[in-house]
Amino acid sequence: MATAETFGGMKTRISRELNRSNIPDDTLEDTIFDAIKHYKARRFVFNTSVDVTATASSGTPILTISAHSVIELDEVIFIQSSSRERLQPRPLQYLQGLRTTPSYKGPPSFYNLINGKEMLTDVIIDQSYTFELSYLHELSAVSADGDTNAWFSDGNELIRTHAKRKLLENWVRGTDARAEAAALAQEEMVIYRELRRQYNQRVTTGRQVPYQYTRRGY
């Protein structure tokens, strides 16, 4: 039997909690996906990664940074021998303007996130370097009932509550459904604030890079 920590388990649980066994499967799936889409750009403990190590090879301005689809890079630390330097984000056009000589090589100073999985630097990297990255990222996709990711475990209650609220508003409808959806909206906000509190606690204890850090002065 599917559990609440899988895609199928969440669909089953939502139907049971709403006491609606007749909700079409594709409606349940679309509503869950919409809930994830609604929250995927919000920072939580389970969709942010810190101090991820990546190595750049000589002869390229591009670094593959993650198997995940990265939504936003929060911090990029360039490590050279015993020194550590924080790279600064710049628009793609800015980096292209800097690289007036296509063969220019050296250590990087600036970066831009491209296609969600690669980082473009301002130079052709002249040797093998190590980088430490912190970023907000998407989670692995789900499609089969047995699939899972952190939205179905750590974020389960948030996604489930949002999905139930939307089903009441858009599928069940009616006065009673609207009243129940309004109550769920308040519950959803409590859950969201608790998950954000956990994330913010990580920031204040130094275990998470604050999003605003790399945006100061730029």
Side-chain angles (χ1 to χ4, degrees):
M1 179 181 295
T3 68
E5 281 66 48
T6 65
F7 187 31
M10 181 175 285
K11 289 188 290 184
T12 300
R13 188 170 177 183
I14 288 172
S15 294
R16 184 177 69 248
E17 290 177 345
L18 290 178
N19 196 26
R20 300 274 175 170
S21 60
N22 60 336
I23 304 175
D25 199 62
D26 58 349
T27 299
L28 282 166
E29 292 183 356
D30 288 346
T31 307
I32 291 170
F33 289 143
D34 285 346
I36 292 172
K37 183 178 180 180
H38 179 78
Y39 281 112
K40 74 175 185 178
R42 315 285 179 91
R43 283 169 165 75
F44 304 107
V45 171
F46 54 83
N47 67 345
T48 52
S49 294
V50 296
D51 296 338
V52 178
T53 301
T55 302
S57 301
S58 174
T60 178
I62 296 175
L63 170 67
T64 300
I65 57 178
S66 175
H68 299 291
S69 182
V70 175
I71 298 172
E72 185 137 22
L73 279 167
D74 293 333
E75 184 178 57
V76 179
I77 300 294
F78 163 56
I79 302 173
Q80 185 177 24
S81 300
S82 59
S83 66
R84 298 165 60 86
E85 179 182 348
R86 182 175 291 106
L87 301 192
Q88 298 300 316
R90 291 294 185 269
L92 180 61
Q93 294 84 352
Y94 181 87
L95 296 188
Q96 291 172 332
L98 287 180
R99 202 181 299 114
T100 54
T101 303
S103 60
Y104 176 72
K105 294 185 177 181
S109 298
F110 307 113
Y111 73 87
N112 182 271
L113 176 66
I114 55 176
N115 70 40
K117 294 188 178 182
E118 294 178 321
M119 184 184 79
L120 178 69
T121 64
D122 54 314
V123 296
I124 303 295
I125 295 173
D126 61 339
Q127 59 181 283
S128 180
Y129 291 119
T130 298
F131 295 82
E132 285 183 0
L133 310 162
S134 299
Y135 48 77
L136 168 71
H137 60 84
E138 294 190 30
L139 302 177
S140 57
V142 299
S143 57
D145 280 353
D147 291 346
T148 191
N149 61 39
W151 289 119
F152 299 89
S153 51
D154 303 81
N156 185 300
E157 191 175 12
L158 179 67
I159 297 304
R160 200 175 73 251
T161 303
H162 185 90
K164 287 190 297 182
R165 178 168 67 85
K166 288 301 182 179
L167 284 167
L168 287 166
E169 292 172 348
N170 303 321
W171 191 82
V172 179
R173 300 180 181 177
T175 304
D176 291 344
R178 286 196 299 270
E180 189 175 352
L184 282 175
Q186 295 182 13
E187 182 180 337
E188 182 181 343
M189 184 54 63
V190 171
I191 297 166
Y192 170 74
R193 286 173 176 166
E194 172 57 22
L195 289 174
R196 286 290 300 168
R197 185 197 65 78
Q198 294 171 15
Y199 171 82
N200 290 332
Q201 185 179 44
R202 230 177 124 178
V203 170
T204 56
T205 56
R207 291 178 292 164
Q208 176 67 50
V209 178
Y211 167 66
Q212 302 92 331
Y213 192 86
T214 59
R215 299 303 185 268
R216 291 176 183 169
Y218 178 65

